[in-house]
Amino acid sequence: MDSNGIRQFCVHVNNSNLNYFQKLQKVNATNFQALAAEFGGESFTSTFQTQSPPSFYRAGDPILTYFPKWSVISLLRQPAGVGAGGLCAESNPAGFLESKSTTCTRFFKNLASSCTLDSALNAASYYNFTVLKVPRGMTDPQNMEFQVPVILTSQANAPLLAGNTCQNVVSQVTYEIETDGTFGIQKVSVSLGQTNLTVEPGASLQQHFILRFRAFQQSTAASLTSPRSGNPGYIVGKPLLALTDDISYSMTLLQSQGNGSCSVKRHEVQFGVNAISGCKLRLKKADCSHLQQEIYQTLHGRPRPEYVAIFGNADPAQKGGWTRILNRHCSISAINCTSCCLIPVSLEIQVLWAYVGLLSNPQAHVSGVRFLYQCQSIQDSQQVTEVSLTTLVNFVDITQKPEPPRGQPKMDWKWPFDFFPFKVAFSRGVFSQKCSVSPILILCLLLLGVLNLETT
């Protein structure tokens, strides 16, 4: 060991005697301030405070939310099931650009009190906040430039305890989030499914949470990524494309839940595939006009389809590529009742289509679409709690096939002008059809003469 090493070793031994083998001082109220002033100082600093938040979300980053009512920043959560029973874990954050679906179960000791007090059952708790467009919005969350409101796209009612039933509890939550690269989240929408629970010991509820991400289309008319169902003609089994306010989407049908009630989720209408579906819709107390509007929206979906794409690659910016849907509503004058309400109970979507183009490569296109409603009348005083609804799709092929190029001979058919090969040899292409008989007769006579000579 050199002299520097011996010197460092001695210093270390001396320090160890001073620090480790001396009797520690007792800290009390009298010497606390003096010791804090002598030995105090910042030893650790918070990384969260010293580093500014990132400028944009990265894949997997937690999505930040802001509650303006309480000025609180939180996270968008997607509860997931944990353990053997699949209990809901509320601390599971939703990851940016991570589209996924989770399911979990909630058990209630006293559903009567939890019905209106548990925020997990209340629809408002899933949209009464805003989403921060980018993480740097944390520095100024009250700035509306960084806030993206959550748009409710389905019917949502507050929980209600009616007798032995807890009504309007949330059973499914679906978030649709549109992103625009490093510019962050541009649009957030949520649709909710609700159900009723019977108040009983050991009551439970299974909830589904769905998170979907897609690219933001600032101008759908100028978008190059509009959905397609063929190029150009429709392909059987692909979605039937609809258009509302320059927004293209797939036309849908009713879908029922396990108990037969109408679900927020809907079936896609597939081109060329006839389908039928139905469900039971629970009605609220409302006047006739609001009741009709609610049922119509349930039958045709939200938003109401206005146009249908003629071809499978129709551009929303080109109105000529879309045909308007013909609506045939129920006739109010058909009933002779002043205190009746005429409500729709069935919707038939009639689609006329045909093949066009070459026989070797025909392309399917839509010629016309009609919505045909059937209704029934109910008395205004009649207490109707639910109604059975039905939707069906009927595709009609109206292709006009051309006459086949070859068929059976007809009486008016004639031989072509130059059918006989002898004509060219004798006429040299300058004799008329009338003069073409003479060379044939001469040839026939010569052949007969040769045959006679051979026989003799």
Side-chain angles (χ1 to χ4, degrees), residues 243-247 306-308 310 315-324:
L243 181 73
T244 303
D245 296 333
D246 296 334
I247 300 177
E306 298 178 353
Y307 298 88
V308 170
I310 297 177
D315 186 355
Q318 304 295 330
K319 296 301 181 183
W322 302 79
T323 179
R324 180 178 288 277

Side-chain angles (χ1 to χ4, degrees), residues 404-417:
R406 291 184 177 87
Q408 296 297 323
K410 297 182 179 180
M411 296 298 296
D412 57 345
W413 278 8
K414 296 180 180 180
W415 295 112
F417 177 75

